[in-house]
Amino acid sequence: MPHRTQPVAVIGAGIAGMVAALELAGHGREVLLLERAPAVGGKIRQVQVGASSSDAGPTVFTLRGVFEEIFRNAGSRLDEHVRTQPLGVLARHAWSATEHLDLHADIERSAAAIEALAGAAEARGYRRFCADARSVYRTLEQPFLHQSHPSLLGLMRSSGFGGLPGLLRLKPFTSLWQALGDYFKDPRLRQLFGRYATYCGSSPWEAPATLMLVPHVEQEGVWQIEGGMQALATGLRALLLARGVRLRCASAVERIRLQAKGRRVAQLELSGGERLDVAAVVVTSDAAALAAGVYGAEVARATTRLPATRRSLSAITWNMHVPTDGFALLRHNVFFSPDYEAEFRALAKRKLPDSPTVYVCAQDREGGQPPAPGAPERLLCLVNAPANGDQHRYSEEEVSRCLQKTLERLHDCGLRLDPAADQRAATTPTDFHGLFPGSGGALYGQATQGWRSSFNRPGARTSVRGLYLAGGSTHPGPGVPMAALSGRHAARCLLQDLGSRKQSPPVAMRGGTSMH
Ligand SMILES: Cc1cc2nc3c(=O)[nH]c(=O)nc-3n(C[C@H](O)[C@H](O)[C@H](O)COP(=O)(O)OP(=O)(O)OC[C@H]3O[C@@H](n4cnc5c(N)ncnc54)[C@H](O)[C@@H]3O)c2cc1C
């Protein structure tokens, strides 16, 4: 048996790792949180361009309640650490210089905007879509999202589905794209709601219709965080240090050593050669890193039962500091490709699309206030890219060609910007692979394709005793709140297996150390 007195380790101080560490410390475990990067946050990171820093990872903050609960359980309050404001307009969408659509927090305002763009029948379709998406979310929330590793059978039994007929109401065998055809005849609206599949790094033609729950999550509320998403990571860091978690940044784990003929976790080896005895470990890097040998051959062999599946999408992003003109940007903006199907055909062939769909986060537009005319503002532009960062090195020429096409797309929709070379910084799939080893640059773990995919995501427990998984590549899936839930699932499984002491009172403790 592992020593109950030995610390438990968490590898990776992204959202999942920080939440897992917090939960474990809250139950009286000694926790060591090891992070290879110089700072916490993982995909929540900032990039410096010229004199300004801005978010280079997630920007859309949803399911705020998940974090309220996490902070509350740790004896604190989210709003003591992070200032949030709900957005009235969730996002502004554009197909050309004259075709624009805002989705509002208020469904009836969105319905009115849809009616103005595409007619009354489409607005009715939208209301039906919202009702059905809400029902999918409500059906899956408890028996799927909040379970550590749900099975199809368990889902049918526990949710009062009424067996198979109830399950079929979720349209698991229909693709999201196909299902959207039941609500929308206008291709622009099908494209808009199909794009939500990319929140899981998937194609709307391959993702199951159950991903309708993603737009519902946004409809429930999108918040902007003062100071950007980084503030959430900083808030969690303060909390876990107060809780006594030992945080070591710039500490990459190079090997997970096993004992009992490869059946149990024993030790971690860090990049400098240091070895640490651990009672158990939660791995929060991409689960694919295990099979890729990032943690050594022994644990790679021992975890071969993890399903090998297709990677989710990667991205090319640019952080920019640039004046904009011609388009009234909001915080979140989407500029659609004129040929969405061609975009996903190219991505499936591991190529960059000719005319990409572009997401633009205008981080300075807090409260919707535009900057002074001609003044530069901070933008994050993102286009989908294949997750081939481990096989293909994106050259400067390729990236600048992609930037050209991205700027053309924005220009065709009315947004003019021309970022100088020293006022922009690109991150490619090669860079993402370097930041998140074993991923190939995939940002959301495995792709969500087909009805089985949601059940194929690795759960918290593995076949090796003392080895647990969490993070956006595991159940319940990618995204900041889902990764947080996965961290909590893994911590709870670990505590259950090791036999936790009763929960410590929810007050801050002294003694947290941070090496950086
Ligand atoms: C560009 C981009 C945009 C996104 N947009 C959104 C959005 O708007 N809204 C949203 O909700 N989600 C979004 N996401 C997804 C979301 O960011 C992720 O799902 C979530 O942050 C994943 O958190 P995580 O803790 O699972 O993984 P990560 O954040 O990847 O954390 C894993 C950590 O493990 C560390 N690590 C890896 N290997 C080792 C090792 N050997 N030793 C020690 N440490 C190691 C890594 O350095 C990293 O810090 C976006 C992601 C990206 C990249």
Side-chain angles (χ1 to χ4, degrees):
M1 279 291 291
H3 269 282
R4 290 175 54 91
T5 50
Q6 283 167 352
V8 292
V10 177
I11 302 179
I15 279 295
M18 288 197 281
V19 169
L22 202 53
E23 181 86 10
L24 290 165
H27 283 77
R29 297 297 315 197
E30 183 188 344
V31 186
L32 185 56
L33 177 55
L34 300 161
E35 169 54 55
R36 72 193 284 275
V40 302
K43 293 192 176 69
I44 300 181
R45 63 190 190 100
Q46 294 211 318
V47 162
Q48 174 111 16
V49 175
S52 74
S53 278
S54 54
D55 278 344
T59 52
V60 181
F61 184 49
T62 55
L63 293 180
R64 185 181 182 277
V66 167
F67 289 93
E68 279 174 357
E69 194 183 331
I70 286 165
F71 278 72
R72 195 168 49 242
N73 286 348
S76 183
R77 283 190 12 217
L78 178 66
D79 58 13
E80 275 173 23
H81 294 268
V82 176
R83 289 160 73 106
T84 60
Q85 241 196 323
L87 290 180
V89 182
L90 307 181
R92 177 156 289 173
H93 305 84
W95 289 267
S96 69
T98 53
E99 300 161 286
H100 298 173
L101 175 72
D102 287 354
L103 275 194
H104 299 261
D106 176 46
I107 289 180
E108 281 312 311
R109 288 192 71 182
S110 298
I114 287 174
E115 185 166 343
L117 178 82
E122 298 300 285
R124 281 195 298 278
Y126 167 71
R127 288 192 192 91
R128 262 193 312 118
F129 174 74
C130 288
D132 288 356
R134 184 187 313 116
S135 146
V136 169
Y137 182 79
R138 294 272 176 263
T139 306
L140 292 177
E141 187 182 9
Q142 286 308 324
F144 185 75
L145 300 181
H146 290 281
Q147 297 298 317
S148 62
H149 199 191
S151 68
L152 191 57
L153 207 62
L155 188 63
M156 278 161 61
R157 279 203 197 110
S158 69
S159 62
F161 268 144
L164 195 59
L167 188 69
L168 292 177
R169 279 208 309 274
L170 297 177
K171 303 182 186 158
F173 307 116
T174 310
S175 75
L176 180 60
W177 188 261
Q178 220 179 334
L180 288 169
D182 292 344
Y183 303 95
F184 304 110
K185 298 287 164 267
D186 190 304
R188 293 169 299 183
L189 296 171
R190 217 165 161 186
Q191 188 178 21
L192 189 158
F193 291 103
R195 177 182 161 269
Y196 283 97
T198 64
Y199 284 33
C200 296
S202 303
S203 151
W205 281 269
E206 291 179 340
T210 31
L211 285 199
M212 279 164 71
L213 66 79
V214 182
H216 173 73
V217 162
E218 269 203 10
Q219 193 61 58
E220 291 276 275
V222 174
W223 281 263
Q224 67 184 31
I225 298 186
E226 203 175 284
M229 203 64 118
Q230 189 70 26
L232 180 66
T234 309
L236 276 170
R237 179 182 183 279
L239 201 55
L240 60 86
L241 292 179
R243 272 287 184 169
V245 171
R246 280 189 293 145
L247 168 66
R248 287 178 61 175
C249 288
S251 297
V253 176
E254 289 214 322
R255 195 169 299 274
I256 298 175
R257 293 182 174 277
L258 307 181
Q259 61 187 24
K261 298 198 176 130
R263 288 200 295 268
R264 194 166 71 213
V265 163
Q267 258 187 351
L268 302 182
E269 191 175 317
L270 306 191
S271 50
E274 187 184 350
R275 290 186 185 187
L276 305 166
D277 291 332
V278 291
V281 60
V282 181
V283 176
T284 73
S285 55
D286 195 310
L290 284 160
V294 169
Y295 298 105
E298 192 185 14
V299 74
R301 275 195 304 276
T303 51
T304 46
R305 275 199 272 148
L306 291 177
T309 45
R310 223 166 76 198
R311 287 171 177 166
S312 60
L313 292 172
S314 187
I316 297 187
T317 64
W318 292 271
N319 284 80
M320 302 176 181
H321 195 225
V322 64
T324 66
D325 184 29
F327 186 96
L329 285 167
L330 297 179
R331 177 76 167 210
H332 303 292
N333 312 269
V334 183
F335 301 86
F336 281 106
S337 161
D339 189 346
Y340 211 35
E341 210 169 345
E343 176 167 353
F344 283 91
R345 270 200 310 271
L347 292 166
K349 288 185 196 148
R350 305 191 141 225
K351 290 192 176 137
L352 292 171
D354 261 343
S355 184
T357 295
V358 188
Y359 163 75
V360 176
C361 174
Q363 201 181 313
D364 293 323
R365 305 248 173 172
E366 287 183 1
Q369 284 308 311
E377 62 179 310
R378 293 176 299 165
L379 300 184
L380 170 67
C381 297
L382 181 154
V383 299
N384 295 318
N388 58 354
D390 50 347
Q391 290 140 19
H392 176 75
R393 175 159 286 282
Y394 283 75
S395 66
E396 257 180 54
E397 194 204 336
E398 204 173 356
V399 175
S400 74
R401 231 181 6 247
C402 183
L403 176 62
Q404 205 48 47
K405 288 176 179 168
T406 299
L407 296 178
E408 277 166 19
R409 183 80 292 261
L410 299 180
H411 188 267
D412 289 347
C413 293
L415 175 63
R416 290 181 295 275
L417 52 101
D418 185 15
D422 63 346
Q423 295 300 319
R424 60 174 201 249
T427 308
T428 67
T430 315
D431 302 321
F432 281 120
H433 176 67
L435 289 166
F436 309 111
S439 67
L443 299 178
Y444 317 90
Q446 66 189 47
T448 308
Q449 49 186 33
W451 67 274
R452 238 190 257 268
S453 53
S454 299
F455 298 97
N456 272 348
R457 275 187 183 269
R461 289 191 174 91
T462 68
S463 51
V464 176
R465 261 191 294 158
L467 176 65
Y468 299 84
L469 303 180
S473 66
T474 69
H475 170 76
V480 170
M482 297 297 160
L485 289 178
S486 78
R488 200 162 70 180
H489 289 326
R492 289 182 179 172
C493 289
L494 186 159
L495 290 164
Q496 212 172 55
D497 296 350
L498 284 193
S500 72
R501 283 186 259 145
K502 77 175 191 335
Q503 177 153 25
S504 58
V507 291
M509 298 189 322
R510 285 191 292 130
T513 52
S514 167
M515 312 300 266
H516 290 269

